[in-house]
Amino acid sequence: MRAIVAHQPHDLRIEERPAAARPGPGEVRVQITRGGICGSDLHYYHHAGFGTVRLKEPMILGHEVAGRIVETGSGITCVAAGDQVAVNPSMPCGHCHFCLRDQRNQCLDMRFFGSAMRFPHMQGLFRDEVTLPVEQVFKVPAALDPGLAACAEPFAVCLHAVAGAGSLLGKSVLVSGCGPIGNLVIAAARHAGAAEITATDLAGAPLAIAASLGASRTLNLAEAPEALAPFAERKGLFDVVFECSGSARALATALEVVRPGGTLIAVGLGGDIPLPLNLVVAKEVILKGSFRFDAEFAWAVQLISSGAVDLSPLISATLPAGEADAAFRLASDRSQSMKVQLAFNN
Ligand SMILES: [Zn+2]
Ligand SMILES: [Zn+2]
């Protein structure tokens, strides 16, 4: 089978690998049909890692995939050959301190497909086939666009962020930074009942997608740097801010426009950026991070499958897996790409 393997910066190879193993008891073999390129995949592609996470050996990329069951091991009744599934790439150990405390996304022994956090690296899912425990697959309707099924993972990340903010019913929300995560936070916040969603970015194209996913107002801060100034009145007007850009400037602005007692959810990773602590203290801001997801994967699958959310505006291009390098270059161009996906086995 083919696999898409990162070796060095800008050295992405399509390699032949052994076929997926026959599924054992409790396992399924999945033929991958679609895979979304994530920001972390792009970091491996451009920089061979991010922060302290570095590629120390070649690694198959990819963790946002959908596919079709081709074979089931013994004892499997919940899915059958032919079923279309979304694949949950997160494999918490199930028995560490955090897994036992219902914080599986903080697992001390997490295995996450396509991640170099552990060594040997956990190989990813941009490949023709994979065999994995049946707990990792979630059945979706046969007629569902596989591209939408492959959005379940990033949407789960965003449902986790939105769930962390508490009830959004009637709330005024700011989403800062409209890459794929910011845009999916908008879809999640809209579904969660936010009264008003303001979206900001430094480019027009992502904001057009934000509007189609549920933003009530879009502000281009490159064209109008002061556009958020009116929202800093009376110590800040937003009940909840989702900071999805990871930029120092955006974080500072977020703390100016969140209301006293409001909530700031940090979703974007920004490295060691400064935090205007006096604003957090004086305005009694609830500052909270959000990392990965847990039960939200099943919620994401359900919302996508039922059509309760339509994430199709997010998908900006789909390229054959054989054109992976071109797809990664396209995905890196924010002026024309939001979510670029790879098509396998078609
Ligand atoms: Zn992702
Ligand atoms: Zn664990």
Side-chain angles (χ1 to χ4, degrees), residues 93-94 96 99 107-108:
C93 76
C96 73
C99 283
C107 176
L108 295 171

Side-chain angles (χ1 to χ4, degrees), residues 121-144:
H121 300 333
M122 187 73 181
Q123 299 291 317
L125 297 169
F126 287 167
R127 47 174 131 174
D128 285 322
E129 284 190 353
V130 65
T131 295
L132 72 189
V134 71
E135 294 79 22
Q136 303 307 124
V137 299
F138 289 70
K139 189 173 171 177
V140 300
L144 184 71

Side-chain angles (χ1 to χ4, degrees), residues 92-100 104 106-110:
C93 76
H95 47 74
C96 73
H97 178 73
F98 293 110
C99 283
L100 294 176
R104 280 169 293 271
Q106 299 290 347
C107 176
L108 295 171
D109 193 23
M110 175 67 89

